[in-house]
Amino acid sequence: MGSTKKLDMQTDDNKKHYAPFAKINGEHPFKAQVPEGRVEYQARVKKGGRVVFFHFDLAKEMGLIPKDHPNELNPELEKQILDTFSIQIINEWDIENKVQVPADEMKPNTYMATRYLQLQHPDKTGRTSGDGRTIWNGQIRHQGVTWDVSSCGTGGTKLSPAVNINKRYYQTGDPTISYGCGCSETGEGLETLFFSEVFHKNRVKTERLLATVEYDKGLAINVRAYRNLIRPSHFFNHLKQGNLKTLKQVADYYIERQVLNGDWEDVREKSPSEKYNYMLNQVAKTFASTAARFEDEYIFCWLDWDGDNILMDGGVIDYGSIRQFGLFHSEYRYDDVQRFSTTILEQRQKAKYIVQCFAQITDFLVKKKKRPLADFKNHSSLKKFDEVFETSKYENLMYKIGFKEKYSADLMKAHLNHLRVFRRAFTWFESAKSQKGVYKVADGITRDAVFCMRDILRELPQLYLTRGSLLEPLEFIEIIRSSYATKNDLRMTPMLKKQIQRFQVSYLNLVDLVAKLENKERHQILLDITMRSSVINKYDRVTGDSITYVVQKVGKSRPRLKSEEIFNLVSEFAHYQTLNPDLRKKISEDSGEDFPVRQKNILRDMAGIVRECREGL
Amino acid sequence: MYAGGDARANRVLDDELFRMVDAKNPLMAYIPASSYLSEIEFQHFVDQYRRFRVKRFLHFPVDVPFDRILFKEVLKADVIHLGGGNTFHFLLWLRKTKMLEALRDYVHHGGILTGLSAGAIMMTPDIETAAMPSFDRDENHDNIKNLDAMALVEFDFFPHYRNSPRYDAEFRKFTRKQKRSLYVCPDGAGIVIDGERKVFVGPTWLFQDGKKMAIN
């Protein structure tokens, strides 16, 4: 009797704990504020799901579970997750075919799929495109931040490319059509999980995986969360269609969320001109610094004219085509059957194009008349973009060398010319490509980078500290050469010798300038750089390929891994891949020493994979 | 030979170390037991020895490919420190990279070699003590069969010792079978060998032929 009572009390406590889940019920202000920006769907309970992953830390940050909730999936929590996220929309095919759903399986509210521009669609103005297999579950506000929550794999919508190319509706799960079937897979979720957590730890803005619910045959619903899931493409369709009313609604909705989340100044009550120009300025700065960061971190994110693969604040969304290269493989192009993607270097122009579109949007919103895009090719926002891009490139370079932020600012102010000389030498090595030329890889084409800048930046300060003199050219090459370099690539030409000399002299010159600015000795700065650079440029850093193999590894181990274990693994993996020297980590507490042997073995294998793939795509 | 612990716990051992260092501007090389998060250990290492006015440091993981340039510089260091971690993994890579021989030569030519926990065990004839006690031992993930180490000393060493019957029972059994002396030290304690001189720093016990004796 007593134990039954205790159990009842526990269940009541749990219900209280998990009450915030009830707020995620399909309701979202975007529905009312931007009526032409979404399609609404009724939804039904999807049976047979099991929670294979739940992000306890993210759920705590979002206020879904209490801060002191153990990182364990109890039956009540699993039930809450399934009740909230295990749903399937009633799509157009279901309605056409009069699919009967028992009343008790119907969800009370509708769920929206949002409309946005997508280049895969035959209609290039975005009248038919948007979330093709995703719905927005809703939003939740906690500690001053509103989070959007969406789920991928909840059924095929009429906004998918397949529906519009083939001009017919599809049943959710129809095996004859892959992307248009409205389903997602567990592997996709895990890939997003591992990549996004590493990015998040390294301060790259990104959507994050909150939960994965798995069904038979590896199908899954992957639940993602972010502070604001609006993309440039959510604006671009209305711009292309000349739909001022809806464009204004999207802009006002977006601005309001940015303000409420504390990310932007409160410009809501300002004049339209001030308000929308503020937005334009933010977009210009964001896309410039993001494009520079992507280029410098070798992050390949297929930016294109539709503004689809990126969030408005430069956050990464949809990891399907995201990669991080180990070297500057700047000629890699993803082969998407009908077209090749942009390269890393072309991302800058695409980002700038997005800003140009926002200049056009701003003008349209203020003057209520749409002018051609070409009218904005010399707009001041594009100059701003170039300025911020350049500044970011220098800042990123100094960060990679290992200079503290305050040193960078001083150097930029007082010695830009010296920085420029080093940047030129750095870029010469970074951009050097193999004489082997362009060749096909599994998912595209590439041309190998010859030098590993991370290796030279890691070892150089140590060697200068030890020796106090420049390296011999052959020694320099021995360190900087990548595994892709052939004998021909490394032939010691007069030009190569000259560049080695220039690199080293200008590097030490910067060190000396910082020493002077800081009133320190050269060795003190070199030691600082040595320590910072050993973290920033650590030998093993994840690449797109390594994430794929890591996920395969987890996939193979997964039948035996519980949701909590995957959570522990990804937390430790992201910790190991945190290359931020300002986050001084405690080794003994966080290094996974207390892990069960099985998880330790998996982690060890993951580290081996990362090491193996460290120079690849 | 450091049994474990942080910079503060090892202050006395560090003082002993710097009594042996002649160079005015010494170079210290840090070889971690594993590259996994070793950049963080390196930061702690630098912090620990910067207090002794050391200005030159090298970080040299051996379980990732390395170039000969850094390798040669390491062997010129005034002090080489072997870090703590999984002893089996460390031995595997020290052997694979021929660092075992190189470090032995380094010591025979007057270099100062220090080691903490796994790094200290590496200086003994073999690393069997890494598999003790049975309830808290290093895992031999790499399944190494050859446990021979540097044999720079003739005794065995056990770090992170806790003075308890559970530990003692295992060490008594071990030294009944294994005829060498086994020195055991808790964190913050250790042994300094300088030529013929052997100094025990902090509490140390000797196990021999199944018997336990307090040394220090």
Side-chain angles (χ1 to χ4, degrees):
Chain A
M1 213 38 191
S3 65
T4 313
K5 229 180 194 173
K6 200 174 159 189
L7 208 66
D8 286 349
M9 275 166 70
Q10 266 178 1
T11 310
D12 285 348
D13 275 355
N14 281 342
K15 273 182 187 154
K16 243 185 281 167
H17 279 162
Y18 305 134
F21 276 89
K23 294 179 192 164
I24 302 177
N25 57 9
E27 287 305 300
H28 196 286
F30 190 86
K31 278 183 184 176
Q33 288 180 32
V34 193
E36 288 179 40
R38 50 45 178 179
V39 179
E40 286 185 67
Y41 288 95
Q42 291 284 326
R44 59 180 294 181
V45 171
K46 184 166 179 168
K47 290 179 177 168
R50 56 200 172 271
V51 178
V52 293
F53 171 75
F54 184 64
H55 201 313
F56 297 96
D57 285 348
L58 180 57
K60 287 172 189 174
E61 209 179 324
M62 295 168 67
L64 278 172
I65 57 174
K67 279 255 176 289
D68 58 356
H69 191 287
N71 294 341
E72 284 167 17
L73 193 67
N74 62 50
E76 187 65 30
L77 176 57
E78 180 161 27
K79 185 176 176 303
Q80 284 290 344
I81 297 167
L82 292 175
D83 285 352
T84 310
F85 300 115
S86 188
I87 59 174
Q88 183 176 312
I89 58 168
I90 312 293
N91 72 3
E92 290 75 8
W93 188 93
D94 296 328
I95 293 166
E96 265 184 3
N97 289 276
K98 300 187 172 57
V99 172
Q100 295 299 310
V101 180
D104 63 344
E105 288 182 18
M106 289 298 293
K107 302 296 280 186
N109 298 325
T110 60
Y111 292 79
M112 68 171 176
T114 59
R115 292 178 177 277
Y116 51 82
L117 192 62
Q118 261 189 324
L119 53 75
Q120 300 96 313
H121 280 251
D123 177 86
K124 300 297 176 196
T125 64
R127 277 175 302 193
T128 58
S129 54
D131 295 315
R133 51 175 183 157
T134 291
I135 50 88
W136 293 44
N137 300 89
Q139 66 169 42
I140 185 162
R141 187 161 177 84
H142 181 63
Q143 292 186 335
V145 175
T146 301
W147 297 81
D148 287 329
V149 185
S150 74
S151 289
C152 181
T154 44
T157 77
K158 68 175 189 178
L159 304 176
S160 77
V163 168
N164 292 289
I165 292 166
N166 302 330
K167 306 226 174 296
R168 52 162 289 210
Y169 297 121
Y170 287 94
Q171 183 181 17
T172 293
D174 184 339
T176 63
I177 187 95
S178 63
Y179 185 73
C181 76
C183 298
S184 182
E185 290 172 4
T186 311
E188 280 179 72
L190 290 178
E191 203 149 316
T192 299
L193 173 68
F194 276 84
F195 229 149
S196 62
E197 287 305 306
V198 171
F199 277 0
H200 174 71
K201 283 271 188 184
N202 288 291
R203 297 192 288 195
V204 174
K205 289 178 182 168
T206 172
E207 64 164 348
R208 295 169 76 192
L209 190 81
L210 176 66
T212 294
V213 179
E214 189 179 52
Y215 305 86
D216 285 347
K217 298 177 187 164
L219 296 179
I221 288 175
N222 290 304
V223 186
R224 291 103 50 107
Y226 193 62
R227 297 160 71 98
N228 194 342
L229 280 172
I230 295 294
R231 321 174 189 204
S233 55
H234 279 107
F235 290 72
F236 290 177
N237 49 343
H238 310 302
L239 171 70
K240 300 268 177 217
Q241 294 161 33
N243 183 346
L244 179 64
K245 188 177 115 195
T246 305
L247 184 63
K248 185 178 177 313
Q249 287 168 346
V250 177
D252 290 342
Y253 163 83
Y254 184 75
I255 290 169
E256 183 176 17
R257 170 65 72 80
Q258 289 300 91
V259 171
L260 290 177
N261 275 354
D263 294 325
W264 284 7
E265 280 171 32
D266 194 349
V267 290
R268 287 174 294 176
E269 298 306 318
K270 298 248 165 114
S271 70
S273 169
E274 281 176 286
K275 183 166 68 171
Y276 299 127
N277 273 300
Y278 177 82
M279 177 175 78
L280 172 60
N281 195 39
Q282 292 294 325
V283 169
K285 286 195 290 188
T286 298
F287 276 84
S289 57
T290 302
R293 177 98 195 262
F294 284 179
E295 200 174 290
D296 291 327
E297 297 281 339
Y298 311 159
I299 294 172
F300 170 80
C301 170
W302 186 353
L303 292 183
D304 221 316
W305 59 266
D306 57 358
D308 173 20
N309 283 346
I310 193 158
L311 292 164
M312 272 291 285
D313 68 352
V316 175
I317 185 162
D318 194 351
Y319 278 78
S321 58
I322 293 290
R323 281 179 173 275
Q324 179 164 252
F325 304 149
L327 308 175
F328 196 49
H329 296 299
S330 58
E331 293 182 31
Y332 167 83
R333 286 181 194 277
Y334 178 73
D335 183 354
D336 194 29
V337 188
Q338 292 140 323
R339 68 185 76 79
F340 277 115
S341 72
T342 49
T343 65
I344 262 197
L345 281 169
E346 289 163 359
Q347 289 179 159
R348 175 188 181 171
Q349 286 315 316
K350 297 291 180 183
K352 200 169 168 181
Y353 176 88
I354 288 173
V355 176
Q356 191 178 341
C357 288
F358 271 90
Q360 185 190 21
I361 286 171
T362 303
D363 186 73
F364 189 19
L365 289 171
V366 174
K367 296 181 181 153
K368 301 187 173 30
K369 194 172 166 222
K370 187 178 159 189
R371 286 162 59 202
L373 184 64
D375 284 5
F376 301 90
K377 67 177 184 215
N378 296 316
H379 193 267
S380 60
S381 59
L382 301 185
K383 289 190 185 78
K384 180 83 191 166
F385 177 95
D386 287 335
E387 275 169 33
V388 175
F389 184 86
E390 277 304 293
T391 308
S392 303
K393 287 289 288 182
Y394 282 114
E395 285 169 352
N396 296 343
L397 180 59
M398 285 183 281
Y399 179 81
K400 283 208 267 192
I401 293 172
F403 286 131
K404 285 181 183 156
E405 215 171 302
K406 60 172 182 165
Y407 301 163
S408 307
D410 292 345
L411 265 183
M412 291 263 294
K413 222 183 290 168
H415 301 287
L416 193 58
N417 276 343
H418 291 100
L419 263 173
R420 201 169 285 140
V421 175
F422 178 71
R423 183 173 157 194
R424 266 204 292 268
F426 183 92
T427 308
W428 191 89
F429 283 99
E430 188 181 46
S431 315
K433 293 287 177 293
S434 174
Q435 293 179 19
K436 188 179 162 191
V438 176
Y439 64 95
K440 270 190 171 184
V441 288
D443 61 356
I445 53 168
T446 191
R447 189 175 173 201
D448 298 327
V450 174
F451 297 119
C452 181
M453 306 313 290
R454 306 169 55 74
D455 286 353
I456 197 73
L457 290 178
R458 187 178 63 252
E459 293 203 11
L460 213 49
Q462 298 189 65
L463 288 166
Y464 288 153
L465 197 57
T466 310
R467 292 179 172 189
S469 60
L470 300 188
L471 305 188
E472 292 299 321
L474 282 175
E475 290 180 322
F476 187 92
I477 289 300
E478 177 66 27
I479 295 168
I480 199 173
R481 61 176 295 176
S482 76
S483 58
Y484 292 104
T486 64
K487 217 173 167 182
N488 266 348
D489 297 327
L490 303 176
R491 213 156 40 84
M492 191 56 76
T493 60
M495 175 55 106
L496 182 54
K497 267 190 190 165
K498 195 172 136 191
Q499 292 294 346
I500 292 169
Q501 177 76 2
R502 185 173 288 168
F503 188 102
Q504 296 196 77
V505 170
S506 57
Y507 179 97
L508 276 178
N509 199 10
L510 292 181
V511 172
D512 289 341
L513 286 169
V514 169
K516 206 172 160 191
L517 284 168
E518 295 296 314
N519 208 12
K520 286 184 174 174
E521 298 285 321
R522 177 194 271 189
H523 70 80
Q524 289 173 295
I525 303 296
L526 279 173
L527 181 54
D528 248 3
I529 296 177
T530 294
M531 286 200 291
R532 292 175 64 81
S533 178
S534 69
V535 179
I536 296 166
N537 298 300
K538 81 189 252 173
Y539 183 88
D540 31 4
R541 185 184 75 147
V542 292
T543 57
D545 283 343
S546 65
I547 291 286
T548 304
Y549 296 131
V550 159
V551 167
Q552 280 174 10
K553 171 85 206 156
V554 174
K556 273 185 199 155
S557 317
R558 208 173 46 80
R560 290 171 290 130
L561 283 176
K562 290 194 285 186
S563 168
E564 295 90 324
E565 291 175 310
I566 296 179
F567 171 73
N568 289 336
L569 276 174
V570 74
S571 302
E572 177 58 24
F573 184 77
H575 174 70
Y576 146 68
Q577 279 297 314
T578 304
L579 312 184
N580 181 352
D582 298 315
L583 290 175
R584 294 289 292 261
K585 294 167 277 189
K586 287 183 183 163
I587 317 150
S588 52
E589 287 171 22
D590 297 331
S591 62
E593 280 303 305
D594 299 330
F595 273 23
V597 173
R598 185 174 56 179
Q599 287 179 56
K600 258 195 215 169
N601 289 345
I602 297 171
L603 262 176
R604 219 187 43 250
D605 290 350
M606 285 178 177
I609 290 167
V610 172
R611 216 165 285 150
E612 191 71 23
C613 301
R614 75 172 198 121
E615 290 188 343
L617 295 168
Chain B
M1 300 167 89
Y2 294 72
D6 59 12
R8 191 186 292 180
N10 287 312
R11 182 74 204 208
V12 182
L13 270 167
D14 285 343
D15 286 339
E16 281 290 336
L17 165 65
F18 281 94
R19 255 177 231 132
M20 296 161 71
V21 177
D22 291 329
K24 276 198 178 139
N25 183 16
L27 170 65
M28 292 186 84
Y30 176 68
I31 304 182
S34 154
S35 59
Y36 191 84
L37 291 179
S38 70
E39 64 280 359
I40 312 301
E41 294 168 8
F42 177 60
Q43 290 184 337
H44 290 279
F45 180 76
V46 171
D47 286 345
Q48 182 167 349
Y49 292 109
R50 234 188 332 205
R51 291 176 201 148
F52 291 86
R53 301 204 179 159
V54 179
K55 297 167 187 163
R56 301 189 301 148
F57 294 92
L58 285 171
H59 174 216
F60 191 70
V62 290
D63 60 348
V64 292
F66 53 79
D67 52 74
R68 307 300 297 175
I69 294 113
L70 213 54
F71 175 72
K72 281 185 200 160
E73 294 301 325
V74 166
L75 295 176
K76 287 186 211 159
D78 298 286
V79 179
I80 297 178
H81 180 82
L82 306 178
N86 185 297
T87 320
F88 296 99
H89 178 82
F90 200 7
L91 178 64
L92 172 74
W93 285 95
L94 285 172
R95 181 172 290 127
K96 257 190 186 177
T97 53
K98 309 217 181 302
M99 275 303 276
L100 274 184
E101 295 88 344
L103 288 171
R104 218 179 275 133
D105 285 351
Y106 167 81
V107 172
H108 289 146
H109 286 91
I112 301 172
L113 184 67
T114 63
L116 182 137
S117 183
I121 294 174
M122 218 51 73
M123 300 177 202
T124 67
D126 61 48
I127 62 161
E128 274 193 53
T129 59
M132 294 196 301
S134 52
F135 50 86
D136 184 21
R137 63 182 181 198
D138 279 2
E139 295 294 333
N140 187 355
H141 304 293
D142 301 299
N143 202 19
I144 313 180
K145 300 279 190 293
N146 180 0
L147 300 185
D148 290 350
M150 275 186 258
L152 294 171
V153 295
E154 289 168 350
F155 54 82
D156 289 315
F157 182 72
F158 181 82
H160 310 298
Y161 174 66
R162 281 182 201 165
N163 195 0
S164 83
R166 280 178 90 198
Y167 277 82
D168 291 358
E170 295 222 9
F171 296 145
R172 285 179 203 282
K173 194 174 162 195
F174 175 72
T175 51
R176 254 180 239 123
K177 205 171 68 184
Q178 171 69 276
K179 290 299 166 195
R180 288 193 298 263
S181 311
L182 166 66
Y183 290 105
V184 301
C185 297
D187 287 0
I191 305 172
V192 181
I193 316 268
D194 184 8
E196 296 302 306
R197 193 170 73 102
K198 191 190 286 174
V199 179
F200 298 98
V201 176
T204 308
W205 287 266
L206 168 66
F207 283 86
Q208 188 127 39
D209 300 325
K211 289 179 193 137
K212 179 185 179 184
M213 283 166 275
I215 295 285
N216 205 23

